[in-house]
Amino acid sequence: MRIIAGARRGRTLIAPPGNTTRPTSDRVRQALFDMLLHAPWGGRDALEDAHVLDGFAGTGALGLEALSRGAVFCSFFETDRTALAALRANIADCRMKERARVLPASVLRPPKASRPCSLVFLDPPYGHALPAQALAALTPAGWIAPQALIVTETGRDEEQPVPDVDILAERTHGAARLWIWRAP
């Protein structure tokens, strides 16, 4: 696993041993960031100077990729101890400590936000309907900016993660399905 593009391009990321995390593959991350940059609803403004939330962060690959590509700050939520160790090591190795905040907390019970995020990544364990629960907790806590882009990765065969939103893009890559929409 590595950073695909930007200032930290090629930097190797570590993952915790075992099956506690399921990092987003390089191929899926490349496809996702291509969509974010080239879609009519995206563009450079979607990434540059963005405040990012990486919920269910695991290794932090999504948030670190965004930082490498010009996001100004990323808040990473993770609860697993082994994943937290890998996440902190990846942030240090990418020399992004000053642009990152690791919250050893669940996005299902987040603290109050100091600043809302304009780009939100939610890559939870598949098959547990966690994206809707996470957004229901993050929104009143002030983490989601109005019109924020929300990106969710689910299993290939899962239904739309949050009903009653207008999906901007949906793509399937192997076992993963990406969903992108705007917050109200």
Side-chain angles (χ1 to χ4, degrees), residues 35-119:
M35 279 192 293
L36 289 174
L37 286 172
H38 301 294
W41 42 260
R44 288 197 175 279
D45 291 343
L47 280 173
E48 291 179 1
D49 299 324
H51 281 256
V52 178
L53 184 149
D54 189 348
F56 308 98
T59 63
L62 290 170
L64 289 168
E65 187 75 39
L67 289 171
S68 180
R69 293 173 182 243
V72 70
F73 193 83
C74 185
S75 297
F76 297 89
F77 280 82
E78 181 54 60
T79 57
D80 182 81
R81 285 181 184 227
T82 343
L84 278 165
L87 172 60
R88 288 181 174 121
N90 287 334
I91 291 169
D93 189 51
C94 289
R95 297 187 190 125
M96 293 189 181
K97 282 184 180 181
E98 70 285 349
R99 296 171 53 203
R101 178 180 176 205
V102 176
L103 293 112
S106 170
V107 292
L108 303 178
R109 292 178 306 284
K112 290 285 183 197
S114 56
R115 180 179 183 135
C117 297
S118 58
L119 180 59

Side-chain angles (χ1 to χ4, degrees), residues 30-47 69 119 149 151 167-171 179-182:
Q30 178 68 49
L32 167 60
F33 281 89
D34 283 350
M35 279 192 293
L36 289 174
L37 286 172
H38 301 294
W41 42 260
R44 288 197 175 279
D45 291 343
L47 280 173
R69 293 173 182 243
L119 180 59
L149 277 174
V151 178
I167 299 296
L168 297 171
E170 173 200 346
R171 303 284 188 282
W179 306 83
I180 304 171
W181 70 92
R182 284 207 183 274

